[in-house]
Amino acid sequence: MNAFRKRITALAMVLLVGNFAHAEGIKFQDLSLSEGLEKAARENKKVFIDVFATWCGPCTYMSKNVFTDGDLGAFMNEHFISLKLDGEFGDGEQLMEQFNLDSYPTMLFLDPEMALLNKIVGAVDAEELIVAGNEVLFPETSLIFQLDKKYAEGNRDREFLAQYAIELLNKDREFQDVVDEFVALYPSIDLLDENEFIVFCAGVHDRTDPNLQAFLKRMDELFEIHGEYVLTKLNMIFEGIITDAIDMENKSLIRSETEAIYEDYRLFYEEEAIELDELVEMMNEMYDEGTI
């Protein structure tokens, strides 16, 4: 957690937790989604939802070790209507579809009209939840608010622009325009830099792009720095080939495009590499099924 967020957390503790330090954690209410939204509207509160699965280990950890925190409970109970919804049933399944969720636990902050105000994916500590909630209550204190302001004022510094693109991505906001602007201003992406590499992974999909070509040639080196992100990006490249073939209704594109990058793939995976013909066959099957 950076210094900015630590300062906001401290402020939240002082202003919003106050004398409630001995509370017993978040009081999740036995309400449906619609009932929770209606109650939040009546009480002028926001809604906090823990979307969980019964088989999810991190979900159990959150319930036993984080949601029971006294300071967190004091803060959430004062300002939010809190619900727990199973993501595989009913209202929880609706949320998974509506907000395109794919991980457990996912914690949503909504307004009474069901607009998404903030989202946290995965297990976090109580302090991070207080920070997220404070961002909802006081948007002007949030990192994304500060970045929005700097961008609107014309800041296009390289480090800032990369950070802004990533924060937009984290907040499920449109980020492609910022990525495109970054690439236009700084066409040679520093693939060794963590922020710039994430911008590359999220935003550069053109297989003729020099940055993508550099990525393919440097996968071994980049894997030592960025680990699984390299595998994810390589999978995205193959998925992009199938998607382009489907969109263009040109199945032959799969072989020609796969052949163009196959040697880089083979050198990276070495003895674990799938033979070209087998790889193309697998991709052709995905094309026929229309699934990626």
Side-chain angles (χ1 to χ4, degrees):
M1 182 177 296
N2 62 32
F4 175 81
R5 292 199 169 208
K6 287 181 178 178
R7 289 197 297 273
I8 295 305
T9 298
L11 178 64
M13 290 292 189
V14 172
L15 295 180
L16 301 175
V17 174
N19 296 322
F20 297 96
H22 300 292
E24 296 182 355
I26 298 176
K27 294 179 181 177
F28 287 98
Q29 303 190 29
D30 186 18
L31 301 171
S32 68
L33 176 59
S34 61
E35 290 170 341
L37 294 169
E38 290 169 3
K39 185 172 184 180
R42 290 196 305 271
E43 298 183 10
N44 194 29
K45 293 183 177 181
K46 303 296 191 287
V47 180
F48 171 72
I49 304 175
D50 171 38
V51 184
F52 70 96
T54 56
W55 47 263
C56 165
C59 300
T60 301
Y61 171 83
M62 292 293 295
S63 294
K64 290 184 176 180
N65 300 287
V66 179
F67 296 149
T68 54
D69 182 86
D71 289 338
L72 175 63
F75 170 65
M76 298 300 294
N77 298 336
E78 181 74 8
H79 299 282
F80 295 89
I81 300 299
S82 298
L83 309 175
K84 289 180 73 70
L85 297 175
D86 190 327
E88 297 183 335
F89 299 96
D91 289 341
E93 188 173 18
Q94 174 192 334
L95 290 173
M96 294 292 290
E97 295 177 359
Q98 181 168 345
F99 294 107
N100 195 28
L101 310 182
D102 58 10
S103 299
Y104 297 108
T106 294
M107 288 148 280
L108 304 175
F109 293 83
L110 308 177
D111 71 12
E113 286 72 45
M114 210 168 168
L116 181 63
L117 305 175
N118 213 340
K119 180 177 77 171
I120 296 178
V121 178
V124 296
D125 61 25
E127 184 176 309
E128 290 181 72
L129 275 174
I130 291 175
V131 170
N134 197 57
E135 290 177 348
V136 169
L137 298 174
F138 303 101
E140 67 277 6
T141 67
S142 68
L143 175 60
I144 191 62
F145 182 93
Q146 301 297 329
L147 296 177
D148 282 340
K149 183 178 179 181
K150 290 181 180 179
Y151 184 80
E153 291 171 349
N155 190 329
R156 297 299 185 270
D157 175 77
R158 181 173 189 144
E159 183 177 350
F160 161 77
L161 209 56
Q163 181 188 23
Y164 185 44
I166 292 168
E167 192 65 15
L168 290 171
L169 175 64
N170 290 338
K171 295 299 183 183
D172 284 339
R173 286 175 47 186
E174 176 56 45
F175 62 91
Q176 189 63 52
D177 287 347
V178 176
V179 169
D180 291 344
E181 188 172 14
F182 181 95
V183 175
L185 290 172
Y186 310 105
S188 182
I189 296 177
D190 182 0
L191 296 176
L192 302 181
D193 179 84
E194 181 179 1
N195 283 353
E196 293 196 23
F197 185 76
I198 294 174
V199 168
F200 161 75
C201 288
V204 179
H205 307 296
D206 181 356
R207 291 184 295 279
T208 65
D209 188 291
N211 294 294
L212 194 143
Q213 292 297 315
F215 164 80
L216 291 169
K217 301 299 182 185
R218 301 172 64 186
M219 285 189 289
D220 280 326
E221 175 190 10
L222 295 172
F223 184 76
E224 294 296 321
I225 300 170
H226 305 299
E228 298 294 321
Y229 282 117
V230 172
L231 307 183
T232 299
K233 182 58 177 177
L234 184 56
N235 286 337
M236 290 171 66
I237 294 171
F238 283 116
E239 290 173 358
I241 292 173
I242 300 170
T243 299
D244 288 348
I246 292 174
D247 291 344
M248 298 173 65
E249 298 182 354
N250 181 6
K251 192 174 183 178
S252 65
L253 185 71
I254 291 177
R255 175 168 287 276
S256 61
E257 290 292 300
T258 302
E259 285 179 345
I261 66 172
Y262 182 78
E263 185 60 18
D264 295 316
Y265 158 81
R266 187 190 65 78
L267 290 173
F268 177 64
Y269 273 101
E270 297 180 334
E271 67 274 5
E272 296 181 7
I274 301 172
E275 292 296 326
L276 176 61
D277 288 343
E278 183 181 354
L279 181 59
V280 170
E281 182 179 354
M282 291 169 55
M283 296 170 71
N284 282 338
E285 290 176 359
M286 296 176 72
Y287 174 98
D288 293 335
E289 295 170 359
T291 58
I292 304 298

